[in-house]
């Protein structure tokens, strides 16, 4: 079997769901300050990103194969959602998992991953052995996972931590919801936007664009039932105003977080947001732009009451 080379850290199936009906997507390169047209195949990838030396001393793409298998499953989930316009409880949970896997998969989280893999052993992350009585064995697996290829598995183990314990998973489910956007969403090379708010929270609030018109939100700082009630039963004018501001703030945040590229199926919207962002930066504005979307989210009650 030929070893793969082009490894997408934002999977192709995701980018495809932010593209036009013809499969095209408009891209802004922050480094070159240029716009260009592309497709899901040629975006958000790095040659041999998931290639590591195996126990036999041979370059191995087994990690990429793991991601490929996971992507097939998640791709099926998004296909089902976009074709039926319905989201089952199971698919909702799978989208949450997709969000956390996306977090640890991209280059922007490489530094955080390096610190995390040194801080947490394989056992710490829930990978251990039990006897026939279902008792956990006192056996340190970390010393048997010393290769970079083996350590790389911790990215996936880190992603499933919010789902390991019933209490954490319950919190995740009770405070997550989806927002249907009236404006086509950006997709960037760091799609998982986590609130960088200093706190003792185990899992921070996040915003994660799932498709060009669907965004996943997790927040323990607002009441999920209240915001959903507003979006379902509030005055249309107020809802529209909130959704437009939320969508624009989400895209500004995505642009700010991106290391290099952001993309959108709407060329005019992409150019407009980039121009606004560049003007703010040129003025020396030190705003934490990745928090822009959370600032809108946290004051939704003001939209509902005005």
């Amino acid at each position: 079997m030929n070893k793969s080379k082009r490894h997408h850290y934002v999977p192709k199936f995701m980018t495809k769901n932010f593209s036009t009906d013809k499969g095209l997507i408009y891209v802004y390169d922050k480094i070159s300050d240029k716009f260009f047209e592309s497709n899901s195949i040629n975006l958000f990838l790095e040659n041999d990103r998931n290639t590591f030396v195996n126990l036999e001393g041979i370059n191995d793409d087994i990690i990429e194969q793991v991601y490929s298998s996971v992507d097939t499953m998640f791709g099926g989930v998004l296909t089902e959602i976009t074709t039926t316009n319905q989201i089952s409880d199971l698919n909702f949970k799978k989208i949450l998992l997709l969000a956390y896997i996306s977090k640890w998969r991209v280059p922007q989280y490489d530094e955080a991953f390096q610190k995390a893999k040194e801080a947490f052993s394989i056992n710490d992350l829930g990978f251990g052995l039990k006897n026939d009585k279902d008792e956990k064995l006192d056996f340190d697996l970390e010393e048997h996972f010393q290769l970079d290829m083996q350590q790389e598995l911790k990215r996936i183990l880190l992603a499933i931590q919010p789902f390991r314990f019933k209490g954490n998973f319950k919190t995740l489910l009770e405070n997550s919801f989806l927002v249907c956007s009236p404006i086509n969403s950006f997709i960037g090379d760091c799609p998982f936007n986590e609130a960088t708010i200093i706190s003792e929270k185990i899992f921070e609030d996040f915003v994660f664009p799932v498709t060009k018109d669907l965004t996943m939100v997790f927040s323990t700082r607002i009441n999920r039932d209240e915001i959903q009630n507003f979006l379902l039963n509030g005055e249309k004018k107020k809802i529209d105003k909130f959704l437009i501001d939320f969508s624009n703030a989400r895209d500004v945040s995505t642009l700010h977080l991106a290391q290099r590229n952001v993309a959108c199926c709407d060329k005019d919207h992409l150019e407009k947001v980039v121009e606004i962002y560049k003007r703010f930066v040129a003025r020396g504005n030190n705003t934490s732009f990745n928090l822009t979307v959370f600032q809108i989210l946290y004051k939704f009650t003001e939209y509902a009451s005005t």
Side-chain angles (χ1 to χ4, degrees):
M1 180 183 294
N2 293 328
K3 181 176 70 65
S4 61
K5 184 176 182 65
R6 291 162 55 86
H7 299 166
H8 290 79
Y9 45 84
V10 177
K12 290 178 289 185
F13 77 84
M14 272 199 67
T15 307
K16 183 180 179 181
N17 279 282
F18 291 81
S19 305
T20 67
D21 293 339
K22 295 182 179 180
L24 299 176
I25 194 164
Y26 302 99
V27 186
Y28 173 64
D29 186 321
K30 291 175 68 175
I31 296 177
S32 66
D33 190 26
K34 293 181 179 179
F35 294 89
F36 61 94
E37 193 176 272
S38 188
N39 54 53
S40 61
I41 297 174
N42 295 316
L43 274 181
F44 311 130
L45 60 90
E46 184 180 316
N47 285 342
D48 288 320
R49 174 168 173 79
N50 296 316
T51 298
F52 297 92
V53 176
N54 62 22
L55 287 169
E56 297 176 349
I58 300 172
N59 284 337
D60 196 325
D61 68 344
I62 186 63
I63 300 297
E64 179 64 15
Q65 292 178 42
V66 172
Y67 280 126
S68 178
S69 177
V70 170
D71 289 348
T72 298
M73 183 268 289
F74 285 130
V77 169
L78 292 196
T79 296
E80 183 177 334
I81 290 172
T82 55
T83 55
T84 65
N85 290 319
Q86 295 181 344
I87 303 173
S88 66
D89 289 343
L90 179 59
N91 282 344
F92 186 88
K93 295 172 183 176
K94 287 181 179 178
I95 292 174
L96 283 170
L97 179 57
L98 170 61
Y100 278 103
I101 287 180
S102 298
K103 167 185 174 178
W104 290 104
R105 188 171 176 174
V106 300
Q108 284 91 324
Y109 273 85
D110 284 352
E111 183 177 348
F113 173 64
Q114 292 300 320
K115 294 178 181 178
K117 75 177 183 179
E118 294 173 4
F120 300 106
S121 69
I122 288 289
N123 298 68
D124 293 333
L125 297 174
F127 198 73
L129 300 175
K130 291 184 177 180
N131 60 23
D132 55 3
K133 297 180 180 179
D134 202 33
E135 297 170 335
K136 187 176 180 180
L137 299 179
D138 186 16
F139 184 77
D140 184 12
L141 285 175
E142 185 70 17
E143 62 183 61
H144 300 282
F145 281 75
Q146 294 302 303
L147 290 181
D148 288 341
M149 182 179 70
Q150 296 165 332
Q151 286 290 305
E152 194 68 14
L153 289 171
K154 287 183 179 179
R155 286 188 192 265
I156 296 175
L157 293 178
L158 285 164
I160 66 174
Q161 294 311 296
F163 306 85
R164 275 185 65 196
F165 302 107
K166 290 183 179 179
N168 291 339
F169 190 26
K170 182 180 179 182
T171 297
L172 191 61
L173 287 176
E174 290 179 346
N175 294 281
S176 299
F177 56 96
L178 289 162
V179 176
C180 294
S181 170
I183 298 175
N184 291 313
S185 174
F186 284 10
I187 179 74
D189 55 32
C190 185
F192 187 90
N193 184 5
E194 194 169 28
T196 53
I197 301 171
I198 298 175
S199 71
E200 295 180 354
K201 293 181 180 294
I202 298 176
F203 306 114
E204 260 298 358
D205 293 0
F206 72 78
V207 170
F208 177 71
V210 180
T211 67
K212 57 189 172 186
D213 52 14
L214 201 62
T215 301
M216 173 69 78
V217 175
F218 165 72
S219 177
T220 57
R221 294 184 173 87
I222 60 174
N223 186 299
R224 184 190 68 171
D225 293 338
E226 288 182 6
I227 190 170
Q228 287 190 309
N229 182 61
F230 165 58
L231 293 175
L232 289 172
N233 304 310
E235 294 181 25
K236 184 179 184 304
K237 185 177 180 180
K238 295 178 180 180
I239 296 172
D240 290 346
K241 172 62 174 171
F242 170 78
L243 288 176
I244 289 172
D245 288 351
F246 171 84
S247 300
N248 284 320
R250 173 203 59 208
D251 294 341
V252 168
S253 298
T254 299
L255 173 59
H256 182 70
L257 278 177
Q259 189 173 59
R260 180 160 193 163
N261 292 326
V262 292
C264 183
C265 66
D266 186 334
K267 182 180 179 182
D268 292 338
H269 176 57
L270 176 65
E271 292 177 347
K272 177 184 176 181
V273 172
V274 168
E275 183 58 32
I276 293 172
Y277 175 78
K278 286 166 64 176
R279 285 205 302 265
F280 273 101
V281 173
R283 293 172 188 165
N285 193 310
N286 294 320
T287 301
S288 296
F289 287 101
N290 68 297
L291 293 181
T292 304
V293 66
F294 297 104
Q295 292 165 355
I296 298 295
L297 190 64
Y298 295 157
K299 62 178 184 180
F300 82 90
T301 53
E302 296 180 20
Y303 288 84
S305 60
T306 55

